[in-house]
């Protein structure tokens, strides 16, 4: 898992997810204002096809025409969810990768996940940001490979 | 940065690929309340609340990495006091450079933002109005369907009610009310076409004895039995009903005086010959009457009644036509 979070919200029990409710409202508002842009970006990513192929054009137009509501709901579900209670059910071996000085998810969220997920390992990357597989693909890949070889 | 760019009427930034601010013009720094060069060397995240960080990491940098450009991105940046200022920005990665620096143009859009908010508010209100309208329409449709269903039920109930209102409870044949209505219809029809119309008034002989000897249930059985008998006896177009008590009426359209008497005679013979449950044998007395022009249905019944009285007075178990009574 790369930069995962079971709960983005800061909660009353002292858990620090990194976002206050107002931050999420803020983000949703900005997403809404940028909606066309989100669709433009998501379409080629989702399909992994050369830009401007016909499929992408079709997908883009459906994103643009249909999705403001769905995109907002998706974002709401993502950012308002709290699945901390479910962590204890996880049994699978897990590698948790987190950027040092992660911009989105505070470091203690990675530690929290590691504490509550059985069979998990936490690895703090040198990479900064939140998407190390994009910004620092080599470091990310080598850590994943090492983990797979050992386990 | 040349002097003209430093005070260019738009915020200008150059970012490193990792998001550090390499250059920033005075316009941009002033807009956010910073002194010249104060932001140089800082990371872009210094200007971001968590929502804006998410936008930069999930949208801005991936787009720069994939396409080299970002167009018309809306984002809010913190000024020095921590207040958010809305910006619209375009960005482009410098092509053909190994350092992969990113040039960014930012225009504040506070006033534009108010306009956008107003538009958005209006859109939401419109959507709400449309939703309300659709809900109202759905409700109307439901109400309409309910009304239709109720009307259908009502129509069924009405026809059932009509049948009930026209039927004699005990025997299931036409009741007095219905008989008189039909007689009025037949009467006016005959008056206008000149066709004859006769009636037979039929009364069970010694019915009081049946009740006294066999009980009221047996009496009811006799009434039901005779009603069935009369219905089987009647021809199509003729109508049988119970006037009340042990008195029945047959309407005979297109039947003249002679034929009506013959029908009455035949009926009383068949009743006499038939086997009756519980009582064994049964006879009836019959009074017949035939319509003459200007007679009302009341007068017609009254004549039949007089003829029936005559049959009773003259030994019962017989049929008499009103026209044959000697009126002394």
């Amino acid at each position: 898992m790369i930069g995962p979070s079971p709960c983005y919200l800061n909660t009353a029990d002292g858990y620090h997810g990194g976002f206050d409710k107002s931050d999420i409202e803020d983000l949703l508002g900005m997403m809404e204002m940028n909606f066309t842009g989100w669709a433009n970006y998501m379409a080629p990513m989702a399909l992994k096809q050369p830009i401007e192929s016909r499929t992408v054009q079709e997908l883009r137009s459906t994103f643009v025409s249909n999705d403001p509501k769905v995109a907002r709901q998706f974002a709401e579900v993502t950012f308002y969810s709290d699945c901390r209670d479910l962590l204890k059910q996880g049994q699978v071996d897990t590698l948790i990768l987190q950027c040092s000085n992660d911009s989105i998810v505070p470091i203690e969220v990675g530690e929290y996940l590691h504490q509550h997920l059985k069979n998990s390992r936490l690895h703090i990357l040198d990479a900064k940001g939140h998407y190390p597989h994009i910004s620092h693909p080599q470091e990310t890949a080598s850590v994943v490979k090492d983990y797979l070889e050992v386990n | 940065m040349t002097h003209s760019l430093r005070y260019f009427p738009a915020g200008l930034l150059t970012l490193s690929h990792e998001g550090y601010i390499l250059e920033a013009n005075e316009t941009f720094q002033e807009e956010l309340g910073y002194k010249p060069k104060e932001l140089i060397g800082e990371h872009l995240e210094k200007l971001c609340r968590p929502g804006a960080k998410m936008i930069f990491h999930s949208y801005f940098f991936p787009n720069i990495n994939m396409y080299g450009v970002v167009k018309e991105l809306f984002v809010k940046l913190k000024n020095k006091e921590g207040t958010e200022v809305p910006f619209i920005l375009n960005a482009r990665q410098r092509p053909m450079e190994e350092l992969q620096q990113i040039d960014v143009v930012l225009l504040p859009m506070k006033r534009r933002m108010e306009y956008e908010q107003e538009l958005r508010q209006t859109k939401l209100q419109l959507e709400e109005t449309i939703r309300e309208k659709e809900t109202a329409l759905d409700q109307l449709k439901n109400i309409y369907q309910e009304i239709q269903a109720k009307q259908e039920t009502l129509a069924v109930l009405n026809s059932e009610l009509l049948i009930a209102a026209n039927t004699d409870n005990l025997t299931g044949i036409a009741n007095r009310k219905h008989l008189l209505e039909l007689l009025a219809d037949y009467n006016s029809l005959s008056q206008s076409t000149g066709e004859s119309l006769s009636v037979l008034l039929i009364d069970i002989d010694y019915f009081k004895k049946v009740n006294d000897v066999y009980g009221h249930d047996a009496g009811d059985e006799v009434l039901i039995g005779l009603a069935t008998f009369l219905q089987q006896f009647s021809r199509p177009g003729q109508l049988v009903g119970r006037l009340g008590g042990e008195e029945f009426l047959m309407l005979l359209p297109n039947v003249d005086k002679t034929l009506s008497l013959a029908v009455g005679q035949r009926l009383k013979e068949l009743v006499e010959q038939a086997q009756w449950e519980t009582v064994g044998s049964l006879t009836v007395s019959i009074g017949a009457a035939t319509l003459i022009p200007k007679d009302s249905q009341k007068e017609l019944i009254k004549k039949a009644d007089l003829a029936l009285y005559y049959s009773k007075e003259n030994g019962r178990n017989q049929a008499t036509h009103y026209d044959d009574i000697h009126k002394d």
Side-chain angles (χ1 to χ4, degrees), chain B residues 2-269:
Chain B
T2 64
H3 185 271
S4 63
L5 287 183
R6 283 165 57 199
Y7 295 99
F8 203 67
L12 300 175
L13 276 183
T14 302
L15 299 175
S16 72
H17 183 252
E18 285 72 35
Y20 287 96
I21 297 171
L22 303 176
E23 290 188 75
N25 70 352
E26 269 70 353
T27 313
F28 180 66
Q29 295 183 92
E30 272 176 22
E31 185 68 44
L32 293 182
Y34 289 97
K35 287 176 213 135
K37 307 219 185 280
E38 201 177 347
L39 285 173
I40 310 295
E42 294 288 349
H43 195 275
L44 182 64
E45 285 183 4
K46 184 184 170 73
L47 306 174
C48 297
R49 291 175 56 80
K53 279 188 197 172
M54 195 75 196
I55 294 282
F56 274 109
H57 283 283
S58 307
Y59 179 83
F60 182 86
F61 287 112
N63 256 294
I64 287 290
N65 288 333
M66 280 185 73
Y67 308 123
V69 291
V70 165
K71 283 181 180 169
E72 292 186 40
L73 176 67
F74 170 79
V75 73
K76 289 189 209 160
L77 297 177
K78 275 191 299 186
N79 66 14
K80 201 171 180 180
E81 289 167 0
T83 312
E84 288 196 309
V85 183
F87 282 97
I88 189 95
L89 71 78
N90 278 2
R92 189 168 62 186
Q93 193 164 42
R94 283 188 199 166
M96 319 297 277
E97 268 189 35
E98 277 190 23
L99 284 173
Q100 296 185 316
Q101 293 178 354
I102 305 158
D103 290 322
V104 189
V105 182
L106 303 104
L107 282 174
M109 51 177 290
K110 278 183 226 165
R111 246 182 281 170
R112 186 76 198 169
M113 192 60 193
E114 282 166 20
Y115 178 62
E116 292 275 348
Q117 296 289 17
E118 219 170 284
L119 273 180
R120 194 166 152 250
Q121 207 55 39
T122 312
K123 179 176 160 275
L124 288 176
Q125 278 170 358
L126 276 176
E127 279 175 355
E128 183 59 28
T129 311
I130 289 170
R131 243 197 314 279
E132 277 171 14
K133 228 170 125 179
E134 276 169 0
T135 314
L137 197 68
D138 281 348
Q139 282 172 345
L140 271 179
K141 277 183 193 162
N142 284 343
I143 290 171
Y144 180 69
Q145 276 171 352
E146 272 173 39
I147 289 175
Q148 268 196 326
K150 276 184 181 156
Q151 271 182 335
E152 279 164 30
T153 319
L154 208 66
V156 172
L157 280 177
N158 270 342
S159 66
E160 284 174 2
L161 214 67
L162 192 68
I163 292 169
N166 288 338
T167 306
D168 176 58
N169 267 347
L170 178 66
T171 60
I173 60 175
N175 62 14
R176 178 183 187 89
K177 174 186 90 79
H178 191 42
L179 271 175
L180 295 179
E181 284 164 4
L182 284 167
L183 182 57
D185 291 347
Y186 280 126
N187 186 10
S188 57
L189 195 68
S190 297
Q191 298 283 6
S192 63
T193 60
E195 304 270 6
S196 45
L197 172 65
S198 298
V199 296
L200 297 184
L201 196 56
I202 303 142
D203 192 279
I204 301 172
D205 293 332
Y206 302 115
F207 183 70
K208 193 175 176 300
K209 270 192 191 166
V210 174
N211 276 334
D212 290 347
V213 174
Y214 301 100
H216 284 278
D217 285 350
D220 285 351
E221 269 174 43
V222 167
L223 291 171
I224 294 165
L226 184 63
T228 312
F229 188 91
L230 289 174
Q231 274 195 307
Q232 284 165 358
F233 174 77
S234 64
R235 302 266 170 90
Q238 301 178 345
L239 195 109
V240 178
R242 183 179 172 212
L243 267 187
E246 66 273 30
E247 212 172 44
F248 293 83
L249 187 74
M250 266 185 87
L251 304 184
L252 308 173
N254 279 325
V255 170
D256 63 10
K257 183 245 161 184
T258 315
L259 188 55
S260 69
L261 185 59
V263 172
Q265 297 283 5
R266 179 80 189 126
L267 175 58
K268 78 136 189 110
E269 282 164 22

